[in-house]
Amino acid sequence: ADALGVNANADNNTAIGNASGYYTTGANNTYVGFSAGLGASGAEANNVGIGSQALFAITTGSSNVAIGKGAMTAATGAQESIAIGFESLSSINEDGGSNIAIGFYAMRSVDEGTGGGDADYNIAIGYDALKGGDFASNDRQLQGNIAIGHFALDATADNAQTGTIAIGYQAL
């Protein structure tokens, strides 16, 4: 019911589930699940959102894959990211890009904020790996990090972190 609800002049979109892809105006998107890809008017393209509220807020983001309930929920303009798992990359918005988050809560609190911060090119695999935080109005960088393991690199909060590798249970 209401999948691709107000879709107008957008090509090659597929949506299955109540309100999935409802405001989609971009092309080549696939949304499956309640409110997956709900978004707002924008020109998002080439996204895949599978799971209740996956890519829920998407507007201009492109080439993302979000699988799992709440995966990339807040993503509006995120680019080329992969989130697999319950609420993985759920707080990323703005223009975070090229991140890979696999696991329950992986990178769940990472948010570039509004002060010019960046959260790009990170890899997080494991429960709550590279948890992150909201940079708010601070210009902080979270780039090129690798966190593999249960709670690996989970204490970063809203601090800058670049090029750090943490492997193992609760590493760093």
Side-chain angles (χ1 to χ4, degrees):
D2 290 332
L4 294 175
V6 294
N7 183 298
N9 302 317
D11 296 324
N12 307 318
N13 291 302
T14 303
I16 301 170
N18 189 10
S20 61
Y22 191 84
Y23 294 105
T24 296
T25 55
N28 305 309
N29 298 292
T30 301
Y31 301 122
V32 178
F34 172 74
S35 294
L38 177 76
S41 293
E44 85 283 11
N46 308 310
N47 293 300
V48 175
I50 300 174
S52 179
Q53 298 181 334
L55 286 170
F56 179 80
I58 196 75
T59 55
T60 59
S62 66
S63 303
N64 296 295
V65 175
I67 300 173
K69 197 253 185 239
M72 293 184 73
T73 299
T76 55
Q79 308 284 324
E80 302 165 352
S81 289
I82 298 170
I84 301 173
F86 181 85
E87 293 188 9
S88 55
L89 261 176
S90 61
S91 296
I92 196 84
N93 59 24
E94 304 301 324
D95 296 319
S98 301
N99 292 297
I100 298 171
I102 301 172
F104 197 95
Y105 289 151
M107 291 183 71
R108 72 170 153 160
S109 299
V110 173
D111 181 354
E112 293 180 332
T114 59
D118 293 305
D120 305 308
Y121 318 114
N122 298 291
I123 299 171
I125 301 172
Y127 181 92
D128 227 1
L130 192 56
K131 182 177 179 179
D134 184 354
F135 297 164
S137 61
N138 300 301
D139 183 4
R140 297 194 176 132
Q141 308 303 307
L142 184 70
Q143 296 184 315
N145 300 292
I146 299 172
I148 301 173
H150 195 93
F151 295 119
L153 206 55
D154 73 326
T156 56
D158 63 352
N159 296 307
Q161 197 78 25
T162 301
T164 302
I165 299 172
I167 300 175
Y169 176 75
Q170 293 183 338
L172 298 175

